[in-house]
Amino acid sequence: MPEPLTPGELLALDRQHVWHPYGPMPGKAAPLLVESASGVRLRLAEPVEGRDELVDGMSSWWSAVHGYNHPVLNDAAQSQLGRMSHVMFGGLTHEPAVRLAKRLVDITPEPLEHVFLADSGSVSVEVAVKMCLQYWRSLGKPRKQRLLTWRGGYHGDTWQPMSVCDPDGGMHELWQGALPRQVFADTPPAGFDAAPDEAYAAQLRELIARHADELAAVIVEPVVQGAGGMSFHSPGYLRVLREACDAHGVLLVFDEIATGFGRTGALFAAEHAGVAPDVMCLGKALTGGYLTLAATLCTAAVADGISRGALPVLAHGPTFMGNPLAAAVADASIELLLSQDWAQEVKRIEAGLRDGLAPARSIAGVRDVRVLGAIGVVQLDHEVDMAAATRAAVREGVWLRPFRDLIYTMPPYITGDGDVARICAALCAAAREG
Ligand SMILES: *Cc1c(COP(=O)(O)O)cnc(C)c1O
């Protein structure tokens, strides 16, 4: 066993050596040191604001839908570990990957037929883009290599995904000029229940028609734009995109990395619109938050188009493609989800969030409060003071990670009513102090 390190030593080494997401080096704000996690609770190595345990309001960035240290997922991981944690996927295959692929094809919209197992969400988006560009090249239309999206989106941090993230979203502005130049429509008008705005629908149709010769695909997050701004829009716009893409020979990609596996109240957000994409990306909750894994699914038509090209293969193959450990846990996680009335649990949490966040509307500095499925958002009229907001939530015994002007929660589906109420109280406290 290595020499034990004190929490103080660990935090000092962390600051000195370890990058954190979107962080400076050396680090500025000290992260909380987590010792273990179980159910919906994170256990801290030393108390912060008098708390050594926090209710997790974030599901570790939308992923831990069943909570932590779940016996079923632990079993799946342990039993796979006893067989093999990894073998290469070139020339070899294995039961966990095959089972998972079959299951994903079974539960996603009908025409999606083929599965590429990637190692992170961003890579699955790279693969989706590569599929679309290569499809048109194979069909003799190499000019079709741009993408269209709407503003306010987020698709990951590698190169192609960055090019379709919100162009005014701060972080990516740095790369103007270096990134591929894509076609942007306005941010979709807000409101899941709002009637689709005809002028906005017309803008989408017009842009797709105008750029059809150079567009390989339209890529969007259906219904919920996550890390780009936590906003909800009418599913009607997805039908507009589907029709316009069909009319003008453009592929449609749904990035369901954040919305997949029930978060919005439907198993996949595409179901709210009753439309299917040509390509779909999944990630985040795919393994129940246990391991990194993502998937890009496509229709038989897309795969067939690619296979008709001069290079009749999809030239992509990450080292850890199809990782058996991650695939076994993903399969168990989906089975666990489907074995229970998950939709009822998400509805229950939705009701709890609506009740618990209602008081936030009257807090000074709050611009909007919105809830959809197991997603609750309090939007301020100013940039959140991260340190103050985090401290306020921790004092309430809750872990939240606000960004920009947004304080939000996406709790695990197993979160009990009392803990949902507590998370809401923490959001309100963070809104007041942040
Ligand atoms: C998180 C996210 C990604 C990127 O996934 P990573 O696993 O972080 O690379 C892409 N698209 C959406 C919609 C996401 O929410």
Side-chain angles (χ1 to χ4, degrees):
M1 281 291 277
E3 192 83 357
L5 295 166
T6 65
E9 287 168 334
L10 285 168
L11 288 173
L13 288 169
D14 182 273
R15 190 178 129 74
Q16 197 180 350
H17 297 300
V18 187
W19 287 108
H20 282 267
Y22 311 107
M25 183 52 71
K28 281 212 186 86
L32 305 188
L33 186 59
V34 179
E35 180 204 81
S36 62
S38 185
V40 300
R41 285 178 161 66
L42 308 175
R43 171 160 284 280
L44 302 180
E46 56 183 1
V48 176
E49 301 288 321
R51 301 281 182 180
D52 57 6
E53 228 177 43
L54 300 177
V55 173
D56 180 18
M58 302 302 295
S59 299
S60 284
W61 273 336
W62 320 65
S63 63
V65 289
H66 306 298
Y68 301 90
N69 217 342
H70 196 289
V72 171
L73 302 189
N74 287 3
D75 271 358
Q78 265 148 13
S79 98
Q80 183 55 41
L81 207 48
R83 295 190 193 100
M84 61 193 171
S85 79
H86 185 65
V87 292
M88 65 186 282
F89 213 45
L92 302 177
T93 195
H94 43 77
E95 186 171 345
V98 175
R99 275 190 184 279
L100 175 62
K102 169 78 167 79
R103 195 187 286 279
L104 291 176
V105 168
D106 286 347
I107 63 174
T108 51
E110 178 69 19
L112 298 167
E113 189 64 26
H114 306 294
V115 183
F116 188 104
L117 293 172
D119 34 18
S120 76
S122 299
V123 172
S124 77
V125 174
E126 296 279 359
V127 170
V129 172
K130 195 185 264 189
M131 280 177 179
C132 294
L133 267 63
Q134 199 174 331
Y135 172 83
W136 292 113
R137 273 171 196 247
S138 294
L139 296 190
K141 297 191 172 173
R143 273 198 65 218
K144 286 171 76 70
Q145 57 179 345
R146 288 183 83 191
L147 304 171
L148 181 147
T149 188
W150 45 40
R151 288 171 184 265
Y154 177 80
H155 297 280
D157 293 339
T158 61
W159 217 242
Q160 286 286 354
M162 267 170 66
S163 77
V164 280
C165 288
D166 188 72
D168 302 323
M171 192 89 49
H172 298 303
E173 256 167 52
L174 178 62
W175 298 108
Q176 291 287 338
L179 289 171
R181 281 180 43 259
Q182 314 294 16
V183 182
F184 287 93
D186 292 342
T187 306
F192 176 76
D193 293 319
D197 177 84
E198 200 28 60
Y200 182 70
Q203 178 191 131
L204 294 176
R205 288 190 198 101
E206 192 277 323
L207 278 174
I208 292 171
R210 173 146 50 104
H211 293 278
D213 284 352
E214 54 174 359
L215 283 181
V218 170
I219 177 170
V220 295
E221 293 159 279
V223 177
V224 175
Q225 293 183 293
M230 302 302 301
S231 41
F232 314 147
H233 55 256
S234 164
Y237 299 126
L238 304 173
R239 290 190 285 273
V240 171
L241 291 178
R242 182 69 276 178
E243 281 163 24
C245 284
D246 286 344
H248 297 284
V250 175
L251 295 172
L252 180 59
V253 181
F254 284 168
D255 177 349
E256 293 238 17
I257 291 169
T259 50
F261 304 104
R263 181 58 66 179
T264 68
L267 193 55
F268 299 100
E271 294 171 13
H272 290 296
V275 299
D278 301 293
V279 177
M280 180 187 266
C281 296
L282 298 174
K284 288 201 161 88
L286 176 58
T287 65
Y290 265 52
L291 289 150
T292 177
L293 186 72
T296 312
L297 286 87
C298 74
T299 61
V302 169
D304 183 56
I306 289 170
S307 66
R308 271 189 259 159
L311 180 68
V313 300
L314 183 66
H316 211 99
T319 306
F320 288 96
M321 183 166 177
N323 178 256
L325 191 55
V329 175
D331 195 51
S333 174
I334 299 169
E335 188 172 359
L336 178 62
L337 184 70
L338 300 180
S339 72
Q340 49 183 307
D341 194 351
W342 62 267
Q344 182 49 40
E345 295 305 307
V346 170
K347 269 208 195 84
R348 174 183 62 77
I349 291 173
E350 180 170 22
L353 292 175
R354 281 190 203 285
D355 276 1
L357 294 181
R361 289 181 198 280
S362 51
I363 295 171
V366 169
R367 169 186 293 175
D368 188 38
V369 177
R370 48 187 180 265
V371 173
L372 179 67
I375 308 170
V377 184
V378 175
Q379 183 166 20
L380 307 184
D381 61 13
H382 56 273
E383 182 106 359
V384 182
D385 176 339
M386 278 271 278
T390 304
R391 219 180 306 119
V394 168
R395 207 179 304 126
E396 298 288 326
V398 174
W399 172 242
L400 298 176
R401 183 71 176 164
F403 69 102
R404 291 193 348 222
D405 54 352
L406 299 159
I407 306 171
Y408 72 105
T409 178
M410 302 133 341
Y413 303 163
I414 61 161
T415 310
D417 293 341
D419 284 334
V420 171
R422 193 154 169 191
I423 290 171
C424 291
L427 261 93
C428 291
R432 252 180 248 111
E433 294 178 41

